[in-house]
PDB file of all heavy atoms in Angstrom:
ATOM      1  N   ILE B 366      15.667  -6.431  42.744  1.00 98.00           N
ATOM      2  CA  ILE B 366      14.803  -5.286  42.556  1.00 98.00           C
ATOM      3  C   ILE B 366      14.702  -5.175  41.064  1.00 98.00           C
ATOM      4  O   ILE B 366      15.664  -4.946  40.330  1.00 98.00           O
ATOM      5  CB  ILE B 366      15.381  -4.004  43.211  1.00 98.00           C
ATOM      6  CG1 ILE B 366      15.398  -4.223  44.712  1.00 98.00           C
ATOM      7  CG2 ILE B 366      14.477  -2.816  42.854  1.00 98.00           C
ATOM      8  CD1 ILE B 366      15.712  -2.957  45.518  1.00 98.00           C
ATOM      9  N   TYR B 368      11.797  -3.922  37.630  1.00 97.00           N
ATOM     10  CA  TYR B 368      10.637  -3.110  37.260  1.00 97.00           C
ATOM     11  C   TYR B 368       9.417  -3.971  37.127  1.00 97.00           C
ATOM     12  O   TYR B 368       9.497  -5.124  36.718  1.00 97.00           O
ATOM     13  CB  TYR B 368      10.890  -2.349  35.904  1.00 97.00           C
ATOM     14  CG  TYR B 368      11.739  -1.143  36.031  1.00 97.00           C
ATOM     15  CD1 TYR B 368      12.914  -1.021  35.313  1.00 97.00           C
ATOM     16  CD2 TYR B 368      11.358  -0.134  36.910  1.00 97.00           C
ATOM     17  CE1 TYR B 368      13.711   0.125  35.490  1.00 97.00           C
ATOM     18  CE2 TYR B 368      12.206   0.970  37.021  1.00 97.00           C
ATOM     19  CZ  TYR B 368      13.334   1.057  36.289  1.00 97.00           C
ATOM     20  OH  TYR B 368      14.164   2.165  36.445  1.00 97.00           O
ATOM     21  N   VAL B 401       9.226  -2.452  40.987  1.00 97.00           N
ATOM     22  CA  VAL B 401       8.862  -1.056  41.169  1.00 97.00           C
ATOM     23  C   VAL B 401       8.372  -0.422  39.866  1.00 97.00           C
ATOM     24  O   VAL B 401       8.530  -0.973  38.753  1.00 97.00           O
ATOM     25  CB  VAL B 401      10.091  -0.245  41.684  1.00 97.00           C
ATOM     26  CG1 VAL B 401      10.732  -0.859  42.848  1.00 97.00           C
ATOM     27  CG2 VAL B 401      11.141  -0.077  40.536  1.00 97.00           C
ATOM     28  N   THR B 405       7.948   6.176  39.181  1.00 96.00           N
ATOM     29  CA  THR B 405       8.228   6.542  40.588  1.00 96.00           C
ATOM     30  C   THR B 405       9.372   5.756  41.146  1.00 96.00           C
ATOM     31  O   THR B 405       9.427   5.428  42.305  1.00 96.00           O
ATOM     32  CB  THR B 405       6.921   6.295  41.438  1.00 96.00           C
ATOM     33  OG1 THR B 405       6.563   4.941  41.247  1.00 96.00           O
ATOM     34  CG2 THR B 405       5.856   7.231  41.069  1.00 96.00           C
ATOM     35  N   THR B 406      10.362   5.551  40.301  1.00 96.00           N
ATOM     36  CA  THR B 406      11.533   4.708  40.672  1.00 96.00           C
ATOM     37  C   THR B 406      12.136   5.108  41.979  1.00 96.00           C
ATOM     38  O   THR B 406      12.331   4.333  42.874  1.00 96.00           O
ATOM     39  CB  THR B 406      12.612   4.747  39.575  1.00 96.00           C
ATOM     40  OG1 THR B 406      12.050   4.370  38.319  1.00 96.00           O
ATOM     41  CG2 THR B 406      13.758   3.866  39.905  1.00 96.00           C
ATOM     42  N   GLU B 407      12.432   6.444  42.061  1.00 95.00           N
ATOM     43  CA  GLU B 407      13.196   6.897  43.232  1.00 95.00           C
ATOM     44  C   GLU B 407      12.546   6.488  44.560  1.00 95.00           C
ATOM     45  O   GLU B 407      13.132   5.868  45.424  1.00 95.00           O
ATOM     46  CB  GLU B 407      13.341   8.412  43.143  1.00 95.00           C
ATOM     47  CG  GLU B 407      14.340   8.901  44.216  1.00 95.00           C
ATOM     48  CD  GLU B 407      14.726  10.387  43.982  1.00 95.00           C
ATOM     49  OE1 GLU B 407      14.336  10.893  42.903  1.00 95.00           O
ATOM     50  OE2 GLU B 407      15.332  10.975  44.900  1.00 95.00           O
ATOM     51  N   ARG B 408      11.271   6.816  44.629  1.00 97.00           N
ATOM     52  CA  ARG B 408      10.490   6.505  45.858  1.00 97.00           C
ATOM     53  C   ARG B 408      10.387   5.023  46.069  1.00 97.00           C
ATOM     54  O   ARG B 408      10.685   4.462  47.127  1.00 97.00           O
ATOM     55  CB  ARG B 408       9.141   7.146  45.762  1.00 97.00           C
ATOM     56  CG  ARG B 408       8.277   7.043  46.989  1.00 97.00           C
ATOM     57  CD  ARG B 408       6.981   7.843  46.859  1.00 97.00           C
ATOM     58  NE  ARG B 408       6.251   7.457  45.686  1.00 97.00           N
ATOM     59  CZ  ARG B 408       5.345   6.502  45.704  1.00 97.00           C
ATOM     60  NH1 ARG B 408       5.055   5.856  46.797  1.00 97.00           N
ATOM     61  NH2 ARG B 408       4.671   6.226  44.597  1.00 97.00           N
ATOM     62  N   ASP B 409       9.995   4.359  45.004  1.00 97.00           N
ATOM     63  CA  ASP B 409       9.713   2.913  45.071  1.00 97.00           C
ATOM     64  C   ASP B 409      10.959   2.106  45.464  1.00 97.00           C
ATOM     65  O   ASP B 409      10.850   1.155  46.234  1.00 97.00           O
ATOM     66  CB  ASP B 409       9.179   2.420  43.735  1.00 97.00           C
ATOM     67  CG  ASP B 409       7.780   2.804  43.507  1.00 97.00           C
ATOM     68  OD1 ASP B 409       7.302   3.680  44.237  1.00 97.00           O
ATOM     69  OD2 ASP B 409       7.160   2.314  42.525  1.00 97.00           O
ATOM     70  N   VAL B 410      12.100   2.487  45.002  1.00 97.00           N
ATOM     71  CA  VAL B 410      13.309   1.767  45.326  1.00 97.00           C
ATOM     72  C   VAL B 410      13.574   1.890  46.820  1.00 97.00           C
ATOM     73  O   VAL B 410      13.981   0.857  47.434  1.00 97.00           O
ATOM     74  CB  VAL B 410      14.466   2.210  44.462  1.00 97.00           C
ATOM     75  CG1 VAL B 410      15.790   1.706  45.016  1.00 97.00           C
ATOM     76  CG2 VAL B 410      14.377   1.819  43.003  1.00 97.00           C
ATOM     77  N   LYS B 411      13.412   3.069  47.367  1.00 97.00           N
ATOM     78  CA  LYS B 411      13.615   3.235  48.775  1.00 97.00           C
ATOM     79  C   LYS B 411      12.725   2.334  49.582  1.00 97.00           C
ATOM     80  O   LYS B 411      13.176   1.625  50.445  1.00 97.00           O
ATOM     81  CB  LYS B 411      13.395   4.693  49.179  1.00 97.00           C
ATOM     82  CG  LYS B 411      14.434   5.629  48.655  1.00 97.00           C
ATOM     83  CD  LYS B 411      14.241   7.043  49.205  1.00 97.00           C
ATOM     84  CE  LYS B 411      15.330   7.982  48.716  1.00 97.00           C
ATOM     85  NZ  LYS B 411      15.168   9.384  49.141  1.00 97.00           N
ATOM     86  N   ILE B 412      11.454   2.348  49.199  1.00 96.00           N
ATOM     87  CA  ILE B 412      10.467   1.512  49.857  1.00 96.00           C
ATOM     88  C   ILE B 412      10.939   0.010  49.765  1.00 96.00           C
ATOM     89  O   ILE B 412      10.967  -0.683  50.758  1.00 96.00           O
ATOM     90  CB  ILE B 412       9.121   1.681  49.328  1.00 96.00           C
ATOM     91  CG1 ILE B 412       8.658   3.157  49.552  1.00 96.00           C
ATOM     92  CG2 ILE B 412       8.112   0.720  49.940  1.00 96.00           C
ATOM     93  CD1 ILE B 412       7.311   3.537  48.892  1.00 96.00           C
ATOM     94  N   ALA B 413      11.272  -0.314  48.556  1.00 96.00           N
ATOM     95  CA  ALA B 413      11.643  -1.689  48.311  1.00 96.00           C
ATOM     96  C   ALA B 413      12.815  -2.095  49.158  1.00 96.00           C
ATOM     97  O   ALA B 413      12.827  -3.198  49.771  1.00 96.00           O
ATOM     98  CB  ALA B 413      12.007  -1.837  46.801  1.00 96.00           C
ATOM     99  N   ILE B 414      13.812  -1.286  49.260  1.00 96.00           N
ATOM    100  CA  ILE B 414      15.036  -1.635  50.015  1.00 96.00           C
ATOM    101  C   ILE B 414      14.641  -1.668  51.529  1.00 96.00           C
ATOM    102  O   ILE B 414      15.031  -2.575  52.241  1.00 96.00           O
ATOM    103  CB  ILE B 414      16.134  -0.606  49.799  1.00 96.00           C
ATOM    104  CG1 ILE B 414      16.664  -0.807  48.351  1.00 96.00           C
ATOM    105  CG2 ILE B 414      17.279  -0.793  50.836  1.00 96.00           C
ATOM    106  CD1 ILE B 414      17.765   0.053  47.939  1.00 96.00           C
ATOM    107  N   ASP B 415      13.821  -0.687  51.958  1.00 95.00           N
ATOM    108  CA  ASP B 415      13.371  -0.768  53.339  1.00 95.00           C
ATOM    109  C   ASP B 415      12.656  -2.163  53.672  1.00 95.00           C
ATOM    110  O   ASP B 415      13.029  -2.761  54.664  1.00 95.00           O
ATOM    111  CB  ASP B 415      12.310   0.363  53.593  1.00 95.00           C
ATOM    112  CG  ASP B 415      13.035   1.695  53.805  1.00 95.00           C
ATOM    113  OD1 ASP B 415      14.260   1.706  54.119  1.00 95.00           O
ATOM    114  OD2 ASP B 415      12.380   2.765  53.656  1.00 95.00           O
ATOM    115  N   GLU B 416      11.765  -2.484  52.792  1.00 94.00           N
ATOM    116  CA  GLU B 416      11.035  -3.743  53.031  1.00 94.00           C
ATOM    117  C   GLU B 416      11.905  -4.907  52.904  1.00 94.00           C
ATOM    118  O   GLU B 416      11.822  -5.878  53.750  1.00 94.00           O
ATOM    119  CB  GLU B 416       9.914  -3.839  51.982  1.00 94.00           C
ATOM    120  CG  GLU B 416       8.846  -2.830  52.196  1.00 94.00           C
ATOM    121  CD  GLU B 416       7.720  -2.915  51.123  1.00 94.00           C
ATOM    122  OE1 GLU B 416       7.904  -3.725  50.163  1.00 94.00           O
ATOM    123  OE2 GLU B 416       6.740  -2.195  51.237  1.00 94.00           O
ATOM    124  N   PHE B 429      20.260  -5.749  41.165  1.00 98.00           N
ATOM    125  CA  PHE B 429      19.465  -4.664  40.498  1.00 98.00           C
ATOM    126  C   PHE B 429      19.286  -5.074  39.029  1.00 98.00           C
ATOM    127  O   PHE B 429      20.226  -5.328  38.338  1.00 98.00           O
ATOM    128  CB  PHE B 429      20.151  -3.300  40.592  1.00 98.00           C
ATOM    129  CG  PHE B 429      20.186  -2.749  41.996  1.00 98.00           C
ATOM    130  CD1 PHE B 429      21.395  -2.724  42.710  1.00 98.00           C
ATOM    131  CD2 PHE B 429      19.015  -2.269  42.571  1.00 98.00           C
ATOM    132  CE1 PHE B 429      21.429  -2.158  44.010  1.00 98.00           C
ATOM    133  CE2 PHE B 429      19.033  -1.729  43.881  1.00 98.00           C
ATOM    134  CZ  PHE B 429      20.240  -1.689  44.581  1.00 98.00           C
ATOM    135  N   GLY B 433      19.300   2.015  36.072  1.00 94.00           N
ATOM    136  CA  GLY B 433      18.568   3.069  36.778  1.00 94.00           C
ATOM    137  C   GLY B 433      18.141   2.627  38.194  1.00 94.00           C
ATOM    138  O   GLY B 433      18.251   3.395  39.100  1.00 94.00           O
ATOM    139  N   LEU B 434      17.854   1.351  38.332  1.00 97.00           N
ATOM    140  CA  LEU B 434      17.471   0.847  39.644  1.00 97.00           C
ATOM    141  C   LEU B 434      18.715   0.883  40.503  1.00 97.00           C
ATOM    142  O   LEU B 434      18.670   1.244  41.725  1.00 97.00           O
ATOM    143  CB  LEU B 434      16.920  -0.576  39.533  1.00 97.00           C
ATOM    144  CG  LEU B 434      15.579  -0.629  38.852  1.00 97.00           C
ATOM    145  CD1 LEU B 434      15.166  -2.058  38.521  1.00 97.00           C
ATOM    146  CD2 LEU B 434      14.424   0.006  39.723  1.00 97.00           C
ATOM    147  N   ALA B 435      19.855   0.500  39.956  1.00 96.00           N
ATOM    148  CA  ALA B 435      21.026   0.447  40.761  1.00 96.00           C
ATOM    149  C   ALA B 435      21.425   1.819  41.255  1.00 96.00           C
ATOM    150  O   ALA B 435      21.794   1.975  42.437  1.00 96.00           O
ATOM    151  CB  ALA B 435      22.215  -0.131  39.904  1.00 96.00           C
ATOM    152  N   ILE B 436      21.345   2.803  40.384  1.00 95.00           N
ATOM    153  CA  ILE B 436      21.702   4.221  40.790  1.00 95.00           C
ATOM    154  C   ILE B 436      20.842   4.655  41.987  1.00 95.00           C
ATOM    155  O   ILE B 436      21.397   5.118  42.977  1.00 95.00           O
ATOM    156  CB  ILE B 436      21.501   5.187  39.621  1.00 95.00           C
ATOM    157  CG1 ILE B 436      22.415   4.894  38.474  1.00 95.00           C
ATOM    158  CG2 ILE B 436      21.630   6.611  40.090  1.00 95.00           C
ATOM    159  CD1 ILE B 436      23.841   5.059  38.873  1.00 95.00           C
ATOM    160  N   ASN B 437      19.592   4.421  41.916  1.00 96.00           N
ATOM    161  CA  ASN B 437      18.685   4.827  42.939  1.00 96.00           C
ATOM    162  C   ASN B 437      18.978   4.019  44.179  1.00 96.00           C
ATOM    163  O   ASN B 437      18.971   4.548  45.321  1.00 96.00           O
ATOM    164  CB  ASN B 437      17.255   4.709  42.500  1.00 96.00           C
ATOM    165  CG  ASN B 437      16.864   5.910  41.678  1.00 96.00           C
ATOM    166  OD1 ASN B 437      16.603   7.013  42.163  1.00 96.00           O
ATOM    167  ND2 ASN B 437      16.863   5.727  40.374  1.00 96.00           N
ATOM    168  N   GLY B 438      19.158   2.755  44.000  1.00 96.00           N
ATOM    169  CA  GLY B 438      19.418   1.882  45.086  1.00 96.00           C
ATOM    170  C   GLY B 438      20.690   2.199  45.864  1.00 96.00           C
ATOM    171  O   GLY B 438      20.697   2.341  47.093  1.00 96.00           O
ATOM    172  N   LEU B 439      21.793   2.368  45.087  1.00 95.00           N
ATOM    173  CA  LEU B 439      23.054   2.701  45.763  1.00 95.00           C
ATOM    174  C   LEU B 439      22.998   4.008  46.501  1.00 95.00           C
ATOM    175  O   LEU B 439      23.577   4.170  47.549  1.00 95.00           O
ATOM    176  CB  LEU B 439      24.161   2.740  44.653  1.00 95.00           C
ATOM    177  CG  LEU B 439      24.491   1.394  44.042  1.00 95.00           C
ATOM    178  CD1 LEU B 439      25.515   1.545  42.934  1.00 95.00           C
ATOM    179  CD2 LEU B 439      25.047   0.447  45.107  1.00 95.00           C
ATOM    180  N   TYR B 441      20.464   5.263  47.933  1.00 95.00           N
ATOM    181  CA  TYR B 441      19.749   5.043  49.206  1.00 95.00           C
ATOM    182  C   TYR B 441      20.618   4.205  50.147  1.00 95.00           C
ATOM    183  O   TYR B 441      20.624   4.451  51.354  1.00 95.00           O
ATOM    184  CB  TYR B 441      18.396   4.356  48.901  1.00 95.00           C
ATOM    185  CG  TYR B 441      17.501   4.308  50.175  1.00 95.00           C
ATOM    186  CD1 TYR B 441      17.259   5.491  50.841  1.00 95.00           C
ATOM    187  CD2 TYR B 441      16.909   3.150  50.579  1.00 95.00           C
ATOM    188  CE1 TYR B 441      16.381   5.447  51.948  1.00 95.00           C
ATOM    189  CE2 TYR B 441      16.159   3.093  51.672  1.00 95.00           C
ATOM    190  CZ  TYR B 441      15.859   4.286  52.383  1.00 95.00           C
ATOM    191  OH  TYR B 441      15.013   4.216  53.510  1.00 95.00           O
TER     192      TYR B 441
END
Side-chain angles (χ1 to χ4, degrees):
Chain B
I366 298 191
Y368 281 121
V401 308
T405 53
T406 303
E407 190 170 348
R408 187 173 55 89
D409 287 9
V410 166
K411 288 186 180 178
I412 297 174
I414 291 182
D415 282 340
E416 289 177 357
F429 290 108
L434 293 168
I436 293 299
N437 281 283
L439 290 175
Y441 190 53

